[in-house]
Amino acid sequence: MPAPQCASCHKARAALHRPRSGQALCGACFCTAFEAEVLHTVIAGRLLPPGAVVAVGASGGKDSTVLAHVLRELAPRLGISLHLVAVDEGIGGYRDAALAAVRRQAARWELPLTVVAYADLFGGWTMDAVARSTAGSGRSRACCTFCGVLRRRALEEGARLVGATHVVTGEPDDMAEAVLMNFLRAAGGWRGRGLGSQAGALPRCHPLQLASQKEVVLYAHFRRLDYFSECVSRGAASAVLDLVHSAGRLALARQRPRRPAPAPLRALASALCQACALLGGLNAAGPPGHRQGPPGLDEEGPPREPQPSRPPTSILIPTTS
Ligand SMILES: Nc1ncnc2c1ncn2[C@@H]1O[C@H](COP(=O)(O)OP(=O)(O)OP(=O)(O)O)[C@@H](O)[C@H]1O
């Protein structure tokens, strides 16, 4: 059976059914719609004012690749300028390939790129050194904690270095996780790693917050974006997006005076100090490199190989005649 006509341009054959609406669109109309939706997210949420100098957290992965590409398309309309900031965590066998992808993107899209390294920012500590230092102490979990906190700090440093006024990161419907965490942590207020920014830090936002993982992959596919690919098999659920919408409404409704945050929230709001606290703990146990061991974070085996990237075939329309 031939593919249906695109429901938007009525000229080309449809190439996909949009996961949420079921609308059949050709690749070009889908990309245009996707960009328009991100534009709406930015404008409606007042995420990036005209004149903003925006540091894009560029990991080389699909989310930040799509984010950078979409914002580059929208930049003239939004009146913003972009600067890619990549963090080199010092993870042997993993980050190098991702950074190479970021360099190719910067060159192709003619965007300025700054790379900041943990080793330079944190007194010689790389994630490989952290992994060795924390070995035997619930290592995998400790590594994620260190990496998340230090990366946030490094991105902030990089953004300030390039004179950015705002920071943006990928995170499409992963936002739901943050939303849920915030609901659970604070029945009385909305704050934290999700849609807000931390005290003293540059404003940080997630323009892809309402996009689904599947559509991010489809956008990358139709725009033929070159990115460093890991597992892309996570699906999108409408409930997840509804949750993010609810959080946005909750944030807008939060006009009443705020109650003092409970203790866990105060801890969340001090991630910059958290980085120093974690580094202090590491240094107390010995300088970077004091413990020898194999590089790489995965104690169960060697660092993961990148997986080939594929769009979710369940929503692509087969191109048969
Ligand atoms: N090394 C890095 N350098 C700069 N920004 C980063 C780096 N790692 C992550 N980020 C930013 O944080 C966001 C969330 O990263 P995380 O690894 O949690 O999610 P992800 O879904 O794998 O993102 P991506 O597909 O962009 O790699 C990324 O989209 C990116 O904007």
Side-chain angles (χ1 to χ4, degrees):
M1 202 176 82
Q5 260 194 351
C6 171
S8 178
C9 67
H10 304 289
K11 290 182 191 136
R13 291 271 168 220
L16 76 151
H17 289 289
R18 294 198 76 180
R20 286 195 89 193
S21 63
Q23 196 182 29
L25 293 178
C26 66
C29 288
F30 163 72
C31 291
T32 304
F34 185 93
E35 288 161 7
E37 285 163 11
V38 177
L39 180 67
H40 180 262
T41 300
V42 173
I43 291 174
R46 298 183 190 162
L47 302 183
L48 302 170
V53 179
V54 180
V56 183
S59 69
K62 71 175 186 317
D63 298 336
S64 49
T65 298
V66 166
L67 175 65
H69 187 273
V70 172
L71 287 183
R72 182 173 170 273
E73 295 295 309
L74 301 178
R77 269 183 281 173
L78 288 169
I80 59 174
S81 57
L82 303 177
H83 198 122
L84 302 183
V85 176
V87 176
D88 182 356
E89 301 96 335
I91 305 174
Y94 170 76
R95 189 47 83 194
D96 295 347
L99 283 175
V102 177
R103 289 199 173 92
R104 289 195 300 274
Q105 291 164 5
R108 187 163 305 148
W109 301 337
E110 298 179 334
L111 289 176
L113 165 67
T114 297
V115 180
V116 288
Y118 279 12
D120 299 331
L121 292 173
F122 304 132
W125 284 103
T126 61
M127 273 315 294
D128 282 343
V130 171
R132 283 192 290 271
S133 177
T134 57
S137 59
R139 190 176 168 197
S140 306
R141 216 172 135 200
C143 280
C144 290
T145 304
F146 278 99
C147 199
V149 171
L150 297 183
R151 185 194 292 153
R152 190 176 185 92
R153 168 73 177 263
L155 198 49
E156 178 79 16
E157 294 287 333
R160 288 183 186 276
L161 195 69
V162 304
T165 57
H166 291 71
V167 179
V168 294
T169 54
E171 288 131 341
D173 56 23
D174 296 357
M175 289 291 298
E177 178 199 322
V179 169
L180 206 50
M181 292 297 284
N182 280 294
F183 276 154
L184 293 174
R185 282 193 179 117
W190 162 256
R191 200 77 183 157
R193 142 175 132 75
L195 300 173
S197 294
Q198 294 181 333
L202 292 172
R204 183 180 291 237
C205 62
H206 314 276
L208 299 183
Q209 64 192 245
L210 299 180
S212 74
Q213 286 278 352
K214 278 185 180 173
E215 294 209 340
V216 167
V217 177
L218 285 167
Y219 183 88
H221 171 71
F222 287 114
R223 288 285 190 234
R224 299 176 192 278
L225 302 184
D226 164 23
Y227 63 89
F228 178 71
S229 173
E230 297 173 88
C231 177
V232 292
S233 60
R234 274 186 293 172
S238 295
V240 163
L241 292 172
D242 292 344
L243 186 61
V244 176
H245 279 295
S246 309
R249 286 198 293 272
L250 191 72
L252 287 176
R254 191 173 50 79
Q255 301 295 344
R256 63 185 184 279
R258 293 182 57 200
R259 284 188 279 159
L265 273 185
R266 280 201 293 272
L268 258 187
S270 61
L272 297 186
C273 300
Q274 228 181 324
C276 293
L278 288 176
L279 289 166
L282 282 173
N283 284 321
H290 73 288
R291 289 176 74 165
Q292 296 305 310
L297 296 180
D298 188 350
E299 58 194 357
E300 280 85 37
R304 285 171 297 164
E305 288 295 318
Q307 303 295 310
S309 58
R310 257 171 288 154
T313 48
S314 59
I315 46 185
L316 284 177
I317 297 172
T319 50
T320 52
S321 55

